[in-house]
């Protein structure tokens, strides 16, 4: 009886294997999940491990890859404060392109915490290895920060970084070495236009948000090719200033008046593809209660269920970007 059963199942497996082999990219319908942690965190922290475990519990078979800039957790944490973000994202892009699982997946889901969410958007725009499918960002400063108040008491690495940020964010030292300076953004409150210093010296944000005169349309094409960009704002955030940056809004620093993304030039003139993404219902604005990075397990469960389930759920997966391998019927 047992041997008969195993013969039958061996036959079934052989049949399955040959059908999988003739459609090699259907092998896994559960896309891998990238997680990019925030400032002051490390890829091997207990919190990130718990998030990864939960992701696998909700969607069994998920391959989770915590993004890291060093195999050493301490150095990975240092890299959240110090480094050139252009080079950091390039390194992540190369690591993913060389990774046996991530480089062969049809697409990747991505979950970014705080600045990690912004950097995953930079990955989507700049990197031509495996494209992203759904990108969910928690508390990410998509429109930059005008101040930062997140250092914990006794965190001298963080305090040193913030002192440097406040003393001269536009120095070449800050822009080439200090991570938060590269998404620091200054506007003139009378005009709500970015300052000349920002446009001239910002190493990251002014470029990836296409705020300069010369726009890189590759950024717009790639961002519009996402299936979903889900921006989740912490309702009572006191760390990311202004907190509305998490929904890509502009805030008048004097009157505190908020200009939502859909009323801004970056959207109306579609500098980075957000309008196109919105028109195909790919842009989501969500809120979650609490201060910066206060995410309950129930909230994460909802996110994993809603955005990171098997892609079968979404019908046809159309691969993004020029390197796409065509479209896939699931
Ligand atoms: C636009 O961005 C892409 C992706 O990062 C890059 O390969 C290309 O060189 C950029 N084009 C210009 C004109 O900077
Ligand atoms: C950051 O790195 C990129 C790539 O190496 C380089 O082109 C750029 O000049 C650097 N930025 C600064 C401000 O040094
Ligand atoms: C802001 O813009 C207005 C109008 O162009 C200008 O008069 C003013 O000097 C600017 N303020 C600063 C601080 O640059
Ligand atoms: C920003 O707020 C100040 C103070 O209320 C106001 O004078 C200014 O006109 C506002 N800027 C814009 C562009 O609405
Ligand atoms: C989240 O999902 C896990 C796995 O299914 C479950 O054990 C846990 O109770 C859920 N948590 C909440 C708060 O719903």
């Amino acid at each position: 009886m047992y041997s008969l059963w195993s013969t039958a199942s061996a036959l079934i497996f052989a049949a399955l294997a040959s059908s999988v082999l003739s459609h090699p990219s259907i092998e896994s319908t559960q896309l891998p999940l990238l997680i990019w942690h925030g400032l002051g965190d490390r890829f091997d922290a207990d919190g990130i491990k718990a998030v990864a475990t939960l992701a696998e519990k909700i969607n069994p078979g998920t391959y989770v890859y915590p993004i890291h800039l060093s195999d050493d957790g301490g150095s990975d944490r240092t890299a959240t404060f110090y480094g050139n973000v252009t080079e950091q994202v390039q390194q992540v892009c190369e690591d993913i392109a060389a990774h046996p699982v991530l480089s062969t997946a049809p697409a990747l889901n991505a979950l970014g915490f705080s600045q990690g969410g912004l950097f995953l958007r930079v990955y989507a725009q700049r990197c031509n290895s495996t494209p992203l499918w759904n990108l969910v960002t928690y508390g990410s400063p998509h429109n930059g920060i005008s101040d930062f108040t997140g250092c914990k008491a006794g965190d001298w690495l963080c305090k040193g970084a913030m002192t440097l940020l406040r003393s001269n964010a536009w120095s070449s030292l800050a822009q080439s070495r200090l991570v938060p300076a590269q998404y620091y953004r200054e506007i003139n409150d009378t005009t709500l236009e970015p300052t000349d210093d920002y446009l001239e010296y910002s190493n990251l944000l002014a470029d990836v948000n296409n705020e300069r005169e010369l726009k890189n349309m590759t950024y717009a094409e790639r961002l519009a090719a996402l299936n979903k960009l889900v921006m989740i704002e912490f309702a009572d955030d006191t760390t990311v200033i202004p907190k509305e940056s998490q929904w890509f809004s502009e805030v008048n620093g004097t009157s505190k008046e908020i200009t939502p993304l859909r009323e801004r030039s970056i959207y109306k003139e579609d500098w980075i593809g957000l309008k196109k993404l919105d028109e195909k219902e790919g842009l989501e604005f969500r809120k979650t209660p609490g201060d910066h990075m206060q995410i309950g397990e129930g909230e994460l469960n909802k996110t994993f269920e809603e955005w990171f389930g098997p892609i079968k759920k979404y019908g046809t997966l159309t691969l993004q970007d020029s390197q796409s391998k065509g479209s896939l019927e699931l």
Side-chain angles (χ1 to χ4, degrees):
M1 180 63 195
Y2 177 75
S3 79
L4 199 62
W5 167 244
S6 55
T7 307
S9 57
L11 282 172
I12 290 167
F13 272 107
L16 269 176
S18 77
S19 97
V20 162
L21 280 177
S22 56
H23 300 93
S25 25
I26 309 184
E27 212 171 320
S28 162
T29 54
Q30 181 60 61
L31 298 178
L33 176 66
L34 307 175
I35 301 177
W36 201 329
H37 60 79
L39 185 75
D41 208 351
R42 48 195 281 175
F43 79 102
D44 58 355
D46 288 344
I48 297 295
K49 284 184 187 153
V51 172
T53 304
L54 203 57
E56 289 154 3
K57 254 193 207 156
I58 301 288
N59 296 304
T62 306
Y63 179 86
V64 181
Y65 180 82
I67 288 179
H68 47 283
L69 289 154
S70 165
D71 290 335
D72 171 67
S75 310
D76 182 52
R77 177 174 193 271
T78 303
T80 67
F81 296 107
Y82 297 106
N84 176 331
V85 181
T86 293
E87 289 170 358
Q88 293 185 340
V89 174
Q90 187 55 36
Q91 184 189 326
V92 167
C93 185
E94 285 163 16
D95 288 351
I96 289 173
H99 190 283
V101 176
L102 303 177
S103 65
T104 52
L108 306 169
N109 283 321
L111 173 63
F113 294 126
S114 199
Q115 70 179 21
L118 171 61
F119 302 164
L120 280 165
R121 176 163 68 79
V122 178
Y123 170 92
Q125 292 177 208
R126 283 190 181 164
C127 185
N128 64 0
S129 41
T130 315
L132 300 188
W133 177 246
N134 288 339
L135 167 59
V136 177
T137 67
Y138 271 100
S140 298
H142 289 291
N143 198 47
I145 53 168
S146 61
D147 198 4
F148 183 86
T149 60
C151 299
K152 294 190 186 81
D155 187 346
W156 301 108
L157 194 60
C158 183
K159 289 195 170 160
M162 296 315 148
T163 304
L164 186 56
L165 176 64
R166 292 201 181 93
S167 67
N168 189 357
W170 306 125
S171 66
S172 67
L173 177 68
Q175 288 301 318
S176 62
R177 299 284 311 279
L178 182 62
V179 169
Q182 296 161 58
Y183 55 87
Y184 181 69
R185 188 170 179 273
E186 248 178 10
I187 55 168
N188 178 323
D189 282 341
T190 311
T191 60
L192 294 192
E193 294 297 330
T195 63
D196 292 345
D197 279 347
Y198 167 76
L199 290 177
E200 185 167 351
Y201 300 115
S202 170
N203 182 48
L204 182 77
L205 198 72
D207 178 74
V208 295
N209 286 358
N210 260 339
E211 293 183 275
R212 298 191 173 114
E213 216 159 312
L214 270 176
K215 320 273 185 222
N216 186 330
M217 292 326 286
T218 304
Y219 291 167
E221 281 158 30
R222 289 190 179 157
L223 205 55
L226 286 177
N227 182 59
K228 292 275 183 190
L229 170 60
V230 184
M231 299 186 287
I232 305 176
E233 179 179 315
F234 292 99
D236 312 303
D237 201 310
T238 57
T239 299
V240 170
I241 299 173
K243 75 174 164 60
E244 291 78 10
S245 179
Q246 301 169 38
W247 274 7
F248 236 130
S249 303
E250 184 77 275
V251 180
N252 181 334
T254 314
S255 67
K256 305 292 173 208
E257 200 186 319
I258 298 161
T259 312
L261 174 65
R262 290 184 179 117
E263 288 166 27
R264 301 182 55 202
S265 308
I266 188 175
Y267 177 94
K268 290 192 286 190
E269 296 168 14
D270 212 14
W271 297 347
I272 56 171
L274 291 170
K275 185 168 184 237
K276 197 166 166 212
L277 187 59
D278 200 17
E279 283 166 356
K280 65 168 196 185
E281 296 181 358
L283 194 56
E284 301 280 342
F285 300 83
R286 299 289 174 96
K287 241 179 221 187
T288 185
D291 202 342
H292 198 60
M293 290 305 296
Q294 287 182 352
I295 314 177
E297 192 182 76
E299 166 67 26
L300 280 174
N301 282 3
K302 266 196 320 191
T303 286
F304 294 142
E305 281 159 12
E306 194 168 3
W307 310 113
F308 301 143
I311 42 176
K312 197 162 50 188
K313 214 160 84 182
Y314 300 110
T316 303
L317 166 63
T318 305
L319 290 174
Q320 304 140 4
D321 216 10
S322 47
Q323 34 121 34
S324 85
K325 298 152 198 144
S327 76
L328 198 66
E329 209 72 56
L330 290 175

